[in-house]
Amino acid sequence: MLIRRKRGWEIAESAVTPEAAVFDRRRVLAVAGAAAAVGMAGRIGAAMAADPATPAPAGAVNLNLPADPKYPPGRALTAEGVATTYNNYYEFSESKNLWRATQKLPQRPWTVKVDGMVTKPQTLDIDTLLKTMKLEERIYRHRCVEAWAMTVPWTGFPMAALISQLQPLASAKYVVFQTAESPAMPNIGAPFYPFPYTDGLTMAEAMNELAFFTVGMYGKPLPPQNGGPFRMTTPWKYGFKQVKAIVRISFTDKQPLNFWKAINPDEYGFWANVNPGVPHPRWSQAQERLIGTSEIVPTQIYNGYGSFVAGLYAGMTHEKLFM
Ligand SMILES: Nc1nc2c(c(=O)[nH]1)N[C@H]1C(S)=C(S)[C@@H](COP(=O)(O)O)O[C@H]1N2
Ligand SMILES: [Mo]
C-alpha cells in the first residue's frame, strides 16, 4: 500500500485555514495570539522600520501622501504593526511570522524586466520609477482567501499609468507578474512549490483604475515582508493574486498558470474575485476576520469594489470567477 504524507493543502481544516495548512493547529493559534497582541506588534514594527538592514530608497521621494477620497475604506485602518508582522510569503515561510527573515532580502538595486508582447521591452529601475511615476496613496481593503482581512494605506501608482508607457501589443491579452528568487528566501528550494511565484491579470483588469503598483505602505517604503520594494495590489481579488517583490512583467496572449492554481486547481483558479457566496472547498467565504482586532464582518462581493470592476465580468457568471 502506498503511504504518503499528505501535502499541506490536502489537509482538511474546518474554519479559517491557510492556503497551505502545512503547519499544525498549535502554531496557527500561536501566530493568531501574537497578532492579537497589537501593542507589542506595534513596537516590533517600529523597531523593524529602523533596522539598517532594510535600506530606504535613495533620494528624497515623498511616500507620505494624502489618501485619494475616491476609494473610501469604509473601515478603520489596520494597525501598522499588525499589517507588517502578519504576512503570507511562502518563499520565506508557511507561517505568518516571517517578517524578520524577510529583512535579509536586498531591496536595492532592484530592477524589473519587461518582456513579451510589448512595444518597449526594457529593464526598469525601481528608483527611476519612484522619481518618474506620479505617486499617490490609496487605502484599500485586502481580503485573503483564508478569510482574514486588513485595511492598508498603500503608496504607488496606477498599473494603467505604467502599462500605457510600455505599450503592449494589441495581441497581448494578459499581463504576468513574477516574484524574485533569492538565496535570502529559505523556502525557495522546497518541494511542491512551483516558484517563482507568478500570477497575472487580463489586460482589461490590469487597466482598471483600481489595479495598483505599490512601492510604499503607511507613508513609508514598502517593507520586504509586504512585498518590498515593488508589488501589485488588486483589492477586488483574493490576496494571493497580489504578487510581491516583482522582478518581471510579461505580456502574453495565453492565460498564465498562477502559483496557487498550479498547486491545487480544485481550490484555486485564475480569477479569484472575492465572493462571499462561493465557498472555498474547505471553508466558508461569507465572513472575514479583521486582523489586529476581534471583529468578524460580512464579506462583500468583489470585496466591495463592484462599482469599479463588476463590468469587467459582465456576462461571465461562472463560479470559477470566484476561485
Ligand atoms: N511572492 C509572493 N507573493 C505573495 C504571496 C506569497 O506567498 N509569495 N502570498 C500572497 C497572499 S496569499 C497574500 S494574502 C498576500 C499577503 O500580503 P501581506 O503579507 O502584505 O499581507 O500576499 C500575496 N503575495
Ligand atoms: Mo492570501
Side-chain angles (χ1 to χ4, degrees), residues 19 87 89-91 142 150 179 197 226 231 239 242 244:
E19 280 96 335
N87 301 100
Y89 208 157
Y90 280 78
E91 290 89 333
H142 172 103
M150 60 181 183
T179 297
Y197 198 102
N226 295 95
R231 78 180 270 175
Q242 306 181 23
K244 295 182 165 181

Side-chain angles (χ1 to χ4, degrees), residues 111-116 176-180 245-250:
T111 56
V112 183
K113 185 181 172 189
V114 177
D115 63 1
V176 188
F177 311 97
Q178 198 181 91
T179 297
I246 297 170
V247 291
R248 187 174 174 195
I249 300 174
S250 307

Side-chain angles (χ1 to χ4, degrees), residues 193-214:
Y193 289 124
F195 294 124
Y197 198 102
T198 301
D199 215 313
L201 301 170
T202 64
M203 288 307 304
E205 289 176 327
M207 297 303 284
N208 184 274
E209 69 173 274
L210 289 183
F212 205 60
F213 279 124
T214 306

Side-chain angles (χ1 to χ4, degrees), residues 19 88 144-146 148 239-240:
E19 280 96 335
N88 272 336
C144 175
V145 75
E146 298 162 346
W148 57 266
F240 71 81

Side-chain angles (χ1 to χ4, degrees), residues 25-109:
R25 248 291 167 239
R26 243 189 359 243
R27 271 174 70 195
V28 174
L29 294 174
V31 171
V38 178
M40 203 189 90
R43 280 198 297 281
I44 293 170
M48 182 273 306
D51 186 341
T54 308
V61 176
N62 181 20
L63 297 170
N64 194 7
L65 303 161
D68 190 330
K70 214 181 149 192
Y71 312 98
R75 44 175 88 149
L77 285 192
T78 299
E80 181 182 354
V82 172
T84 56
T85 56
Y86 183 89
N87 301 100
N88 272 336
Y89 208 157
Y90 280 78
E91 290 89 333
F92 287 91
S93 174
E94 288 146 353
S95 121
K96 296 284 184 285
N97 181 8
L98 50 77
W99 67 269
R100 278 183 202 83
T102 65
Q103 305 308 303
K104 293 208 176 79
L105 181 68
Q107 303 288 287
R108 292 293 189 281

